[in-house]
Amino acid sequence: MTQETDSSAETVIFGADWCGDCRRAKLIFDRSGTPYRYVDLVQDPAAAEVARDISGRTNIPVILYPDATHQVEPSNADMLRKIEELGLSRS
């Protein structure tokens, strides 16, 4: 996976499969029909630095949206609100 992100084109979720909040975030995006690129920080450890640069924190998931905003460990309601605000859902 690349460390570069084109924030104007896609939503990127930085996470790890051992992280319950990361699995929950992917589920919210999947159920809402919202496309995203998942960056597994176990498979791509260098991307952890990218996520940390975006959020200023080491918590995951870090979700980078096409409008260059981000969320760290967001609630389901926060993710759904942002998905709706940006019109990202395909369903």
Side-chain angles (χ1 to χ4, degrees):
M1 298 237 162
T2 179
Q3 293 180 33
E4 301 286 323
T5 58
D6 180 357
S7 61
S8 66
E10 65 182 344
T11 299
V12 182
I13 300 175
F14 295 88
D17 289 342
W18 53 260
C19 166
D21 285 335
C22 300
R23 291 191 308 269
R24 181 176 52 81
K26 287 170 51 177
L27 188 61
I28 291 296
F29 275 74
D30 289 342
R31 285 186 176 167
S32 67
T34 304
Y36 63 92
R37 180 167 57 93
Y38 182 70
V39 178
D40 185 333
L41 300 178
V42 173
Q43 298 296 319
D44 187 358
E49 192 171 324
V50 175
R52 192 170 30 255
D53 287 347
I54 292 166
S55 68
R57 300 167 55 185
T58 57
N59 306 61
I60 55 175
V62 173
I63 304 173
L64 179 62
Y65 291 96
D67 66 351
T69 62
H70 71 276
Q71 294 176 325
V72 181
E73 294 182 314
S75 69
N76 292 0
D78 287 342
M79 286 183 277
L80 289 169
R81 191 169 21 257
K82 190 66 177 182
I83 288 167
E84 184 177 336
E85 174 190 324
L86 296 179
L88 299 175
S89 177
R90 289 190 178 158
S91 53

